[in-house]
Amino acid sequence: MPNAIDTHTAAVNEKVVYQNPLLFLKVWELRGVQRLRRPTDAWPWHYHKEVEFLAILEGGLEVQTMTSLTTLGPGDVMVIGSSRPHRTWSAHGETVRYIVFQVDLVRHFDQSILPYLHHFSELTGPLEDLNYIFEVNPAARAEAHALIAEIYDETYSGRTGYEIAVSASIKRLLLLLLRGDDRGMLRGTEEAGIVRMRPVLDYVESRLGEKIAVDDVRRLLGMSYHHFIKTFKRTMGIPFVDYVNYNRIKKAERLLLTTDLSIMEVSFEVGIWNMAQFYKLFKRHNQHSPKEFRQRMRN
């Protein structure tokens, strides 16, 4: 793991400026990044709401997320989910050249493919879980690499209809992930159900630092307690309490990574006031204590 000199306090919530505001994307090629030869030279931790795809053209690239450290070489592809902190540096001290493709995937779900939106919502798991597809399926890896290259080429060509070509390539990329997911990481939910649950999901996201009671959220939908519990689990695939705890811990991970708040302060920030409970939940999701997680990510 890298021995980075930064303390994560300067982690950047990056605002992506779209090259075409109608396509909601930014794509570019990084060439000859020779200064990134050591982990201490890594780009600072950063994140953005757009999903990011990396396609390596030459050399090697190290990519660190909160859950993995991956070495990519020519022809390799990696996806990083929405708002997932990450950083990169050149592998083996060599010059690296690669394409970075950032896109707001939600904007590319028109009426024809809207029923599949919930598969990519990242409500219960990050899209980076799908990187196993590129590791075990060479054909899928090659196709994804080619699609990202096409998106780059079409965007910079500016030829008539390039918007159609780019949009089509993005949909093909989504289809590749959907059909290549043999392990079922893209857990489906009921499309109609998730639309109905949206007020509850928004409520939870905006109040992670507060007490969240089932009685409060079930009233948003006009449901009885037991009807809500059953409907939420059937729609989302996990119990409501587990969903809330999952999102509390994901927020705690980000705070541990990007701030110097104490463990107790982080616990309070995510609405868990019992430290024993916080440690128990954190280890359930990470196999590490909050302190171990922070040390592991910084060293």
Side-chain angles (χ1 to χ4, degrees), residues 12-220:
V12 178
N13 183 354
E14 185 177 276
K15 179 175 176 57
V16 175
V17 179
Y18 301 135
Q19 290 152 319
N20 183 326
L22 298 179
L23 289 175
F24 304 97
L25 63 81
K26 180 180 180 181
V27 60
W28 72 101
E29 180 182 319
L30 282 175
R31 296 170 175 265
V33 191
Q34 298 187 41
R35 77 176 188 84
L36 300 182
R37 295 188 176 186
R38 305 181 306 279
T40 50
D41 294 328
W43 297 116
W45 287 96
H46 62 284
Y47 56 95
H48 36 74
K49 69 182 182 66
E50 291 77 14
V51 172
E52 180 167 304
F53 291 88
L54 301 173
I56 311 304
L57 303 173
E58 297 177 11
L61 185 72
E62 299 275 6
V63 183
Q64 185 182 15
T65 69
M66 291 192 297
T67 57
S68 67
L69 177 62
T70 306
T71 301
L72 303 176
D76 284 340
V77 173
M78 184 173 183
V79 58
I80 301 170
S82 172
S83 297
R84 299 289 289 178
H86 56 283
R87 60 178 178 174
T88 61
W89 62 92
S90 176
H92 316 303
E94 59 187 21
T95 298
V96 60
R97 186 167 68 93
Y98 60 105
I99 296 173
V100 182
F101 171 44
Q102 299 170 333
V103 59
D104 185 348
L105 284 182
V106 174
R107 300 286 189 167
H108 288 271
F109 281 84
D110 55 32
Q111 292 299 318
S112 66
I113 63 171
L114 192 59
Y116 297 98
L117 172 60
H118 54 283
H119 289 278
F120 296 89
S121 64
E122 298 191 84
L123 291 170
T124 57
L127 282 182
E128 64 197 67
D129 288 345
L130 297 177
N131 283 311
Y132 83 88
I133 298 173
F134 306 132
E135 296 170 4
V136 304
N137 189 333
R141 180 172 66 246
E143 183 177 350
H145 196 282
L147 286 170
I148 295 168
E150 285 180 20
I151 291 169
Y152 172 80
D153 291 339
E154 287 288 349
T155 299
Y156 281 91
S157 74
R159 290 179 294 176
T160 301
Y162 85 90
E163 300 93 340
I164 298 175
V166 168
S167 182
S169 292
I170 292 172
K171 288 181 173 63
R172 287 166 59 197
L173 194 54
L174 292 172
L175 180 62
L176 175 68
L177 294 173
L178 191 65
R179 289 184 173 176
D181 182 25
D182 296 331
R183 299 179 186 176
M185 305 303 294
L186 292 173
R187 289 186 290 177
T189 57
E190 301 176 9
E191 191 273 333
I194 202 169
V195 171
R196 189 180 186 189
M197 284 292 166
R198 177 53 59 185
V200 172
L201 305 184
D202 291 342
Y203 181 95
V204 170
E205 182 179 0
S206 65
R207 289 173 171 79
L208 286 175
E210 307 170 16
K211 179 180 179 181
I212 299 176
V214 173
D215 272 339
D216 294 331
V217 295
R218 59 100 179 168
R219 291 192 186 98
L220 294 173

Side-chain angles (χ1 to χ4, degrees), residues 252 255-256 259-273 275 278 294:
L255 290 173
L256 288 167
T259 76
D260 283 331
L261 292 174
S262 69
I263 305 298
M264 180 179 292
E265 288 171 329
V266 169
S267 179
F268 291 173
E269 282 288 320
V270 300
I272 303 175
W273 293 274
M275 290 300 295
F278 178 62
R294 175 175 269 171

